Amino acid sequence: MRPTIADVAKEAGVSKATVSRFLNHRDRLLSAEIATRVEAAVARLAYTPSPMAQALSHGRSRLIGLIVADITNPYSVAVLRGAEKACQEAGYLVMLFNLGNDIDREREAIDALAGYQVDGFILNTLGRGAGLVDADALHGKPAVLVDRRHAGMHTDFVSLDNPAAMKAACGHLVEGGYRELLYITEPLKGVSSRRERTAAFGNCVAAHQPRVAGEVFESNGEDNDALDAALRALRKRARGARRAAVLSGNAVMTLRVASAMARLGWHFGVELGFVGFDDPEWAPLIGPGLSTIAQPTDAIGRTAATCLIERLRGLEGPPRQVLLPGELVVRGSSGGP
């Protein structure tokens, strides 16, 4: 069995408090003879102190709680990797809680991680409802919100610059001659990132009217017939020489659109142009390659972790907002005849 601080104390013939003073480099509080005895006992027993216990003795666990809305979403995984790397470099470990898109688990997640004495939180929550009411739910811990804002929480926020990214995607299609546009998103439901992209799409269409028209379709992922019908209606609106294109709100929606295109027997870049948010590794493999807005997921995760660690180290001041630029990756889906 791994030796404990009590074993060291017994071996050296001193109290546990004395051993603790030695381990925390407070030898000046000990006589030379006692310090030598403790040092010898530590060596004989090959004792190594628990990093967790040492951190807690200083009021820090060196743990960061990371809560994600849906771990099956490639975006969440990529942001997690960036945050974990930054935390590790700063001497912190990450504890993950996956909500599984269940809004009722938000407060449960906060309470569970707080029970492990995490020093702070990185939150990619569902961003709506009363599950995470306000900052009081955080047990006095600092937090950083990622991707989704929460009306009751005034904390640092890190995200893609959604308006600029949509402007780039929409502008690229307009420059390519597309005049009938359809933005397909998951149900808005008060989720800030979805609402921001939808609003930015509306602004882009308005800026190019009357030569460009656009509509928004919210897909719940369960009604394939409705999605197929929305794509057929888009093609019908285009007619003649007007070209039609789809923009998708994230990688989840991109897969749904790709499935619909297969059901309809259509091809990206031919019947419909396409640009989607997120750049999963399979995007170049579908059809002629899917044009995308690549999110700086690693930088988002790293920035969120850095903001939190700065707060843990004493940084004060009002909440900060960091919006990072996306990258338009042009492939065959936004080309075509």
Side-chain angles (χ1 to χ4, degrees):
M1 293 180 61
R2 180 175 177 173
T4 66
I5 193 171
D7 297 327
V8 175
K10 183 178 179 181
E11 179 73 13
V14 298
S15 68
K16 289 192 293 183
T18 296
V19 177
S20 178
R21 293 189 188 98
F22 175 83
L23 295 174
N24 287 293
H25 307 291
R26 289 182 287 174
D27 308 53
R28 63 186 182 281
L29 301 177
L30 307 175
S31 67
E33 185 267 335
I34 289 179
T36 300
R37 280 162 49 193
V38 174
E39 183 178 22
V42 168
R44 283 195 298 272
L45 297 176
Y47 172 77
T48 55
S50 163
M52 176 66 77
Q54 282 193 314
L56 288 174
S57 71
H58 292 90
R60 296 288 189 190
S61 66
R62 310 296 292 184
L63 293 175
I64 299 296
L66 196 155
I67 299 175
V68 297
D70 180 15
I71 197 62
T72 66
N73 189 320
Y75 171 87
S76 297
V77 176
V79 170
L80 168 61
R81 289 179 184 144
E84 186 175 35
K85 285 185 286 188
C87 288
Q88 184 178 23
E89 290 166 4
Y92 289 83
L93 294 176
V94 170
M95 295 189 71
L96 175 68
F97 195 110
N98 174 37
L99 296 176
N101 281 323
D102 185 349
I103 193 169
D104 295 328
R105 302 190 71 197
E106 289 195 350
R107 186 176 290 277
E108 174 191 345
I110 293 288
D111 292 343
L113 292 175
Y116 284 97
Q117 303 297 316
V118 297
D119 292 339
F121 299 96
I122 298 174
L123 305 174
N124 169 227
T125 72
L126 298 177
R128 63 182 190 274
L132 187 61
V133 180
D134 51 34
D136 292 339
L138 298 175
H139 299 266
K141 308 287 187 180
V144 176
L145 287 167
V146 173
D147 185 58
R148 297 172 177 180
R149 306 175 193 272
H150 197 292
M153 300 188 63
H154 304 288
T155 65
D156 291 342
F157 175 72
V158 182
S159 172
L160 173 73
D161 186 340
N162 288 305
M166 178 59 80
K167 183 178 181 180
C170 187
H172 167 66
L173 290 173
V174 172
E175 289 174 5
Y178 292 97
R179 297 294 179 258
E180 288 288 343
L181 305 180
L182 177 66
Y183 177 51
I184 302 180
T185 175
E186 291 184 280
L188 301 185
K189 292 182 178 178
V191 177
S192 65
S193 55
R194 298 175 191 173
R195 293 170 65 92
E196 288 173 5
R197 292 173 192 176
T198 301
F201 173 74
N203 292 338
C204 178
V205 171
H208 294 284
Q209 286 179 335
R211 62 192 181 107
V212 174
E215 293 188 3
V216 175
F217 177 74
E218 296 183 38
S219 171
N220 61 17
E222 299 174 357
D223 191 346
N224 291 335
D225 291 341
L227 178 57
D228 294 354
L231 295 182
R232 288 194 188 98
L234 173 64
R235 283 267 291 161
K236 185 176 181 180
R237 289 194 301 274
R239 294 178 179 173
R242 287 177 68 84
R243 303 177 70 192
V246 169
L247 297 95
S248 81
N250 58 23
V252 174
M253 279 311 319
T254 296
L255 277 177
R256 293 179 193 169
V257 172
S259 295
M261 293 285 284
R263 287 193 298 270
L264 294 168
W266 295 353
H267 303 86
F268 287 108
V270 181
E271 284 83 2
L272 293 177
F274 178 87
V275 177
F277 275 71
D278 297 332
D279 187 39
E281 59 186 10
W282 41 261
L285 308 178
I286 295 181
L290 300 182
S291 296
T292 62
I293 292 290
Q295 294 204 53
T297 48
D298 187 79
I300 289 173
R302 282 184 170 274
T303 302
T306 299
C307 285
L308 179 59
I309 292 168
E310 288 174 346
R311 295 295 187 186
L312 293 174
R313 291 174 176 171
L315 179 68
E316 298 180 352
R320 298 169 291 177
Q321 175 176 268
V322 183
L323 302 180
L324 300 176
E327 177 188 0
L328 175 64
V329 181
V330 178
R331 301 187 178 99
S333 69
S334 57

